């Protein structure tokens, strides 16, 4: 689809997802195809992040959640992990002022205590600086795993029951979700995964229950406005039924 066409679709009132979650995959393969080290792929991926944030804001998306580093990614070679952490720090240092100027509110989710103190401090400062912004909500998942999130929520609830703050009967879907990392954020309407794999890889296991899933072969560093709009077009063609029949949905 041509860019002009997709812009026209959006302008014509095509349903824009309120929350898009992205599994940014394919950096290593992008680098390998160019005989470059893996970290060169991660570096190239930062550019795609910048472009995606801009397009998401432009298209009127309210929440954008990017999977930057999973609980399982700690198992990668130490050199790759260390370079990734340095890259996060560097990107944060470079981009925060620009994000702030563009009214973006930044938030990080994941097992923070696993991160280096310096990165942790930058994250805290970036969240603090942008907390009053009213534009795009940009959520970065670092050291995040869907199972970690659910286990953490279960622990919080168990602690509250043990402390008599809650009873077992108080626990329902809504109460459970309030202990998850994305508390207060609507569930993703659309999940995009680049890099050709069709799996969730322990991303937002709870929150993706009814998300539309879009997989593309494009490697993350090549992701761009055109690819983003292809995902939006895919989303625009879905009928979201949440367990109802198609006829029921059409009736409302
Ligand atoms: C995604 O790209 C980035 C992270 C997981 C940090 P990969 O590094 O997984 O790239 P591939 O899948 O090896 O190509
Ligand atoms: C998922 O990609 C995690 C991120 C994009 C941060 P992986 O490359 O780690 O996923 P698998 O190992 O192929 O499932
Ligand atoms: Mg990968």
């Amino acid at each position: 689809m041509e860019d002009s066409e997709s812009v026209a679709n959006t302008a014509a009132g095509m349903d824009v997802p309120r929350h898009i979650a992205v599994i940014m995959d394919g950096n290593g393969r992008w680098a390998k195809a160019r005989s470059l080290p893996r970290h060169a792929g991660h570096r190239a991926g930062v550019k795609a992040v910048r472009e995606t944030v801009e397009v998401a804001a432009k298209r009127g998306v309210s929440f954008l959640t990017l999977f930057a580093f999973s609980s399982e990614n700690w198992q990668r070679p130490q050199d790759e992990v260390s370079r990734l952490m340095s890259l996060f720090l560097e990107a944060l240092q470079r981009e925060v002022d620009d994000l702030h100027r563009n009214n973006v509110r930044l938030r990080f989710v994941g097992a923070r205590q696993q991160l280096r103190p310096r990165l942790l401090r930058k994250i805290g400062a970036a969240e603090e600086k942008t907390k009053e912004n009213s534009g795009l909500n940009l959520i970065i998942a670092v050291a995040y795993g869907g199972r970690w999130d659910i286990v953490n929520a279960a622990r919080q609830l168990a602690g509250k029951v043990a402390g008599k703050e809650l009873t077992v009967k108080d626990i329902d879907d809504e109460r459970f979700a309030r202990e998850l990392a994305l508390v207060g954020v609507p569930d993703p309407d659309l999940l995009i995964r680049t890099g050709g794999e069709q799996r969730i890889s322990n991303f937002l296991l709870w929150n993706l229950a009814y998300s539309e899933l879009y997989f593309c072969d494009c490697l993350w560093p090549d992701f761009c406005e055109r690819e983003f709009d292809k995902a939006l077009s895919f989303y625009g063609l879905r009928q979201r039924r949440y367990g109802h029949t198609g006829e029921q949905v059409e009736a409302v």
Side-chain angles (χ1 to χ4, degrees):
M1 185 196 296
E2 291 312 312
D3 284 352
S4 52
E5 197 183 327
S6 55
V7 170
N9 278 346
T10 319
M14 204 177 80
D15 197 12
V16 174
R18 189 142 77 113
H19 182 180
I20 299 182
V22 187
I23 301 177
M24 310 184 287
D25 196 24
N27 295 350
R29 280 163 283 163
W30 183 93
K32 194 170 183 186
R34 287 161 181 76
S35 307
L36 295 168
R38 293 181 61 84
H39 62 83
H42 296 316
R43 191 164 279 281
V46 177
K47 269 221 301 277
V49 169
R50 198 180 308 130
E51 178 157 352
T52 303
V53 170
E54 278 171 23
V55 188
K58 202 157 74 177
R59 296 283 181 273
V61 172
S62 303
F63 298 89
L64 178 68
T65 302
L66 303 178
F67 203 9
F69 191 86
S70 75
S71 317
E72 289 71 31
N73 290 149
W74 290 116
Q75 300 167 74
R76 290 192 177 194
Q78 213 199 317
D79 176 63
E80 180 172 351
V81 171
S82 160
R83 281 175 181 272
L84 268 167
M85 293 300 144
S86 304
L87 187 62
F88 294 151
L89 188 68
E90 186 191 314
L92 206 52
Q93 262 159 346
R94 206 179 43 223
E95 306 291 342
V96 166
D97 286 346
D98 237 27
L99 290 169
H100 186 48
R101 257 195 305 281
N102 287 309
N103 201 20
V104 173
R105 182 175 174 186
L106 203 56
R107 175 165 154 190
F108 286 78
V109 290
R112 291 182 182 232
Q113 71 286 358
Q114 296 175 357
L115 302 175
R116 296 174 187 166
R118 197 153 164 239
L119 179 58
L120 210 50
R121 278 200 300 277
K122 280 278 164 221
I123 284 175
E127 288 178 330
E128 185 60 29
K129 182 170 186 151
T130 62
K131 71 175 184 202
E132 307 290 347
N133 290 344
S134 56
L136 175 74
N137 287 281
L138 174 59
I139 302 161
I140 312 281
V142 180
Y144 176 87
R147 288 183 176 176
W148 164 83
D149 200 358
I150 291 171
V151 168
N152 192 49
R155 274 197 190 153
Q156 301 295 328
L157 290 168
K160 285 174 184 168
V161 171
K164 309 246 183 281
E165 228 182 286
L166 269 186
T167 68
V168 170
K169 277 201 189 127
D170 293 329
I171 302 171
D172 56 11
D173 275 23
E174 184 273 327
R175 186 64 193 80
F176 196 95
R178 269 162 50 200
E179 301 295 338
L180 291 167
L182 291 190
V183 54
V185 176
D187 286 343
D189 301 293
L190 172 66
L191 170 80
I192 299 174
R193 180 173 187 145
T194 61
E197 309 296 347
Q198 305 198 354
R199 54 181 175 244
I200 302 293
S201 299
N202 199 20
F203 196 21
L204 301 159
L205 295 180
W206 174 283
N207 318 67
L208 292 172
Y210 268 104
S211 307
E212 302 299 330
L213 309 179
Y214 178 81
F215 300 101
C216 60
D217 290 332
C218 166
L219 301 173
W220 178 252
D222 294 326
F223 196 73
C224 58
E225 182 160 0
R226 195 184 155 82
E227 293 291 336
F228 188 92
D229 282 338
K230 278 196 220 166
L232 286 191
S233 297
F234 161 89
Y235 177 77
L237 294 172
R238 308 267 69 79
Q239 183 191 46
R240 308 192 68 192
R241 292 194 281 273
Y242 298 100
H244 295 83
T245 66
E247 290 72 20
Q248 284 177 304
V249 174
E250 277 157 26
V252 286

